[in-house]
Amino acid sequence: MTNRMTDKKEFCGIFGIFDHPNAAETVYLSLYALQHRGEESCGVAVFDGRKIRHLTGMGLVPDVLCPEKLKTLKGNSAIGHVRYSTTGSSILKNAQPFLISHNKFSISIAHNGNLTNAVRLRRELERQGAIFQSTMDSEIILHLLVRSKENTIEGRLAEALSKCDGAYSLLLLTGEGLIGVRDPYGFRPLCLGKKDGSFVLASETCAFDLIGAEFIREIAPGEMVTISKRGLEPVEPFSPVPPASCVFEFIYFARPDSRIFGQSVYEVRKRLGMSLAHESPVPGADIVMSIPDSGNYAALGYAQKSGLPFEFGMIRNHYIGRTFIQPSQEMREHSVKIKLNPIMGVIKGKKVVVVEDSIVRGTTTGGRIKAIREAGAKEIHMRISCPPIKFPCFYGIDFPSRKQLIANELDLEGIADFIGVDSLEYLSLEGMIEAVKGKAHCGGFCTACFSGQYPTKVHKSALKNPFEKK
Ligand code: SF4
């Protein structure tokens, strides 16, 4: 059992398969691989040739989708979802996939991302008499879809999504097949693969590795693919816009063994560390260490670039139960002490470079630095493999409010004092973009949480969105 227990919460992983004899079991395995994208609820929906059945629950994949329950979900096509919630929103009615029946059709939906005009859309729909079952903005897409006068599900979906702003990588399971679609900016990843001749779609390629599927390509920003007995039919129903894939997927969210946005996450993370070493060396340092696990790959890159030895100065306890993923501040502080233990023999008397992927509130980082200091470090020089996070995300990542973002409240010196390090440096915005693009330029990136430059119009209502993010 793993959990990441940080103040950066990821929102949702999705997986779908069409026309495979072990559809539900394959979704179950794939959701294991995507568990890092959401640990609070999960679910699966399966089409058995007549009807879509679904099963959702609170908890990790093995808690909710046990083999006995999966046996009841017979069928050849299925979608699945894992979700992380914001404080207080961890409720069953928000667990996905959602399932609706309307006139002669049933549809199940799994969504990763966040609509930025959800408040306005929901109010309009409620004025027209719509009744919502959940507080999730994904349900808005279904309401818009059933109101469309288009003849096909694809046409209805395209019309519904043309009214939605923000981020969505979506899977829809229908009586005819599977539909995958990515918003025109391509904020969240969505990958296409094949297993035993059957098409599969997943948030990240690590899911394909686990089930033995071959990675074919990514769904392009703004692309919709329909997978049915006719095969795979791609369409591009939206006007093209400059792509803006979430750069934070590379920095923290995606698994390092995945390929997304055209690149290996592992390689990009290492390059971020190398750029950091180039920009902010620590003369006379003895070792480079990471805050595990998220800082491991950038720390390795930093060490390789700087020629310093990389050491595991902290060991992570992998046996922490779900009790400690509760997102209250008090629990978070307990979790820091329980989760990571410094190795005194590695750290004592050393001038240490500590590499971390990012700092959000600073409280978690401060607790870890304190532990390293108590283990006898002579000097602690912290290096962060992204720029300071100063702005909220409206596209599906739950950073705390601006006031809780430490880089928004304090300058560099103030943050260094707060977390208790001898020096602190962040990777520059230019350095990050350079490292992320690598040799192969793979399109544009959203950097809004660092730069404040939002790729889309941010509706005023999104600032106080009462709906849940995914
Ligand atoms: S604001 Fe930051 S976290 Fe949100 S999509 Fe953009 S880069 Fe990603």
Side-chain angles (χ1 to χ4, degrees):
M1 185 181 294
T2 64
N3 62 66
R4 300 216 275 186
M5 296 182 301
T6 70
D7 41 14
K8 309 172 283 270
K9 297 191 205 82
E10 50 273 83
F11 289 100
C12 304
I14 54 178
F15 180 87
I17 185 163
F18 176 74
D19 198 18
H20 191 280
N22 300 321
E25 290 85 349
T26 309
V27 170
Y28 168 74
L29 286 173
S30 304
L31 293 185
Y32 255 114
L34 298 173
Q35 186 81 83
H36 62 288
R37 295 185 74 88
E39 298 182 340
E40 290 200 358
S41 68
C42 61
V44 58
V46 182
F47 180 61
D48 66 6
R50 271 192 329 111
K51 142 179 216 193
I52 300 175
R53 296 171 204 277
H54 86 316
L55 171 66
T56 56
M58 304 305 299
L60 295 169
V61 172
D63 301 334
V64 176
L65 306 175
C66 59
E68 296 73 44
K69 286 184 183 164
L70 278 181
K71 273 186 202 144
T72 65
L73 293 173
K74 302 225 179 295
N76 284 359
S77 299
I79 58 173
H81 190 267
V82 288
R83 173 173 184 260
Y84 212 134
S85 75
T86 52
T87 305
S89 64
S90 188
I91 46 177
L92 183 58
K93 69 178 180 179
N94 287 339
Q96 294 194 30
F98 288 143
L99 174 62
I100 57 147
S101 292
H102 178 74
N103 280 343
K104 288 182 182 159
F105 63 82
S106 296
I107 298 178
S108 184
I109 189 170
H111 176 196
N112 175 206
N114 202 50
L115 304 186
T116 54
N117 62 341
V119 174
R120 189 169 54 72
L121 287 173
R122 179 158 170 155
R123 285 196 184 125
E124 271 172 32
L125 287 161
E126 283 176 336
R127 267 198 298 273
Q128 293 164 22
I131 296 169
F132 283 82
Q133 306 284 324
S134 75
T135 58
M136 304 297 288
D137 58 4
S138 321
E139 204 183 341
I140 292 169
I141 299 169
L142 293 174
H143 277 277
L144 292 171
L145 186 148
V146 296
R147 279 170 161 72
S148 167
K149 299 281 182 283
E150 291 289 329
N151 293 327
T152 61
I153 298 283
E154 295 82 354
R156 285 168 176 258
L157 179 61
E159 190 188 323
L161 293 175
S162 70
K163 298 187 172 118
C164 299
D165 295 337
Y168 49 84
S169 280
L170 289 179
L171 294 179
L172 270 83
L173 181 66
T174 72
E176 315 238 306
L178 179 64
I179 300 173
V181 57
R182 223 173 136 202
D183 69 71
Y185 294 89
F187 284 103
R188 303 279 148 233
L190 188 60
C191 305
L192 175 72
K194 230 173 191 185
K195 175 180 168 56
D196 309 326
S198 302
F199 282 111
V200 286
L201 289 160
S203 296
E204 294 182 33
T205 59
C206 62
F208 297 164
D209 296 341
L210 194 147
I211 59 167
E214 172 203 356
F215 169 61
I216 298 176
R217 66 175 177 89
E218 293 184 52
I219 303 304
E223 183 182 10
M224 180 189 293
V225 293
T226 304
I227 302 166
S228 67
K229 292 284 182 202
R230 297 186 302 273
L232 182 135
E233 295 165 296
V235 285
E236 288 178 11
F238 313 114
S239 307
V241 293
S245 301
C246 171
V247 75
F248 220 75
E249 291 273 355
F250 277 136
I251 293 162
Y252 173 77
F253 292 119
R255 255 175 57 161
D257 50 343
S258 286
R259 283 190 73 80
I260 56 161
F261 309 149
Q263 299 200 69
S264 147
V265 176
Y266 176 88
E267 292 298 336
V268 172
R269 268 183 210 163
K270 253 179 65 179
R271 286 206 301 269
L272 288 164
M274 288 176 168
S275 294
L276 187 58
H278 176 73
E279 285 186 1
S280 302
V282 181
D286 295 307
I287 59 163
V288 177
M289 62 174 276
S290 65
I291 302 286
D293 293 334
S294 54
N296 285 353
Y297 315 95
L300 189 61
Y302 191 102
Q304 286 181 1
K305 179 74 180 175
S306 62
L308 291 166
F310 173 75
E311 298 282 358
F312 285 102
M314 267 189 152
I315 296 301
R316 180 177 162 178
N317 177 357
H318 289 268
Y319 300 93
I320 301 171
R322 281 183 52 77
T323 325
F324 290 99
I325 69 168
Q326 291 175 13
S328 76
Q329 186 58 32
E330 197 190 335
M331 293 311 282
R332 195 175 292 114
E333 277 163 16
H334 278 299
S335 73
V336 171
K337 291 174 198 153
I338 290 172
K339 186 183 173 190
L340 295 169
N341 191 32
I343 304 178
M344 199 180 276
V346 173
I347 292 170
K348 196 169 179 190
K350 303 263 176 59
K351 182 173 177 176
V352 179
V353 183
V354 179
V355 178
E356 175 63 305
D357 64 280
S358 56
I359 301 178
V360 181
R361 288 181 173 89
T363 46
T364 315
T365 312
R368 290 163 182 175
I369 295 299
K370 188 164 166 256
I372 295 169
R373 190 75 76 187
E374 285 168 359
K378 189 173 69 180
E379 289 178 33
I380 304 175
H381 300 271
M382 182 135 222
R383 298 294 181 262
I384 307 298
S385 65
C386 71
I389 298 169
K390 293 186 175 176
F391 302 92
C393 173
F394 300 109
Y395 307 118
I397 305 302
D398 182 35
F399 289 135
S401 68
R402 269 191 92 171
K403 275 198 148 330
Q404 291 171 300
L405 292 169
I406 193 167
N408 190 50
E409 294 292 297
L410 299 175
D411 62 12
L412 196 64
E413 217 172 296
I415 302 170
D417 276 355
F418 182 82
I419 60 176
V421 292
D422 297 282
S423 78
L424 170 69
E425 298 292 345
Y426 289 85
L427 184 61
S428 67
L429 193 61
E430 300 70 37
M432 175 182 75
I433 293 296
E434 199 58 36
V436 164
K437 281 180 178 169
K439 285 190 193 126
H441 177 32
C442 52
F445 289 95
C446 174
T447 60
C449 48
F450 309 111
S451 63
Q453 306 287 311
Y454 291 92
T456 67
K457 201 166 87 182
V458 176
H459 298 254
K460 259 191 195 164
S461 55
L463 299 167
K464 282 196 169 180
N465 191 344
F467 307 126
E468 309 305 333
K469 298 179 180 181
K470 310 141 301 304

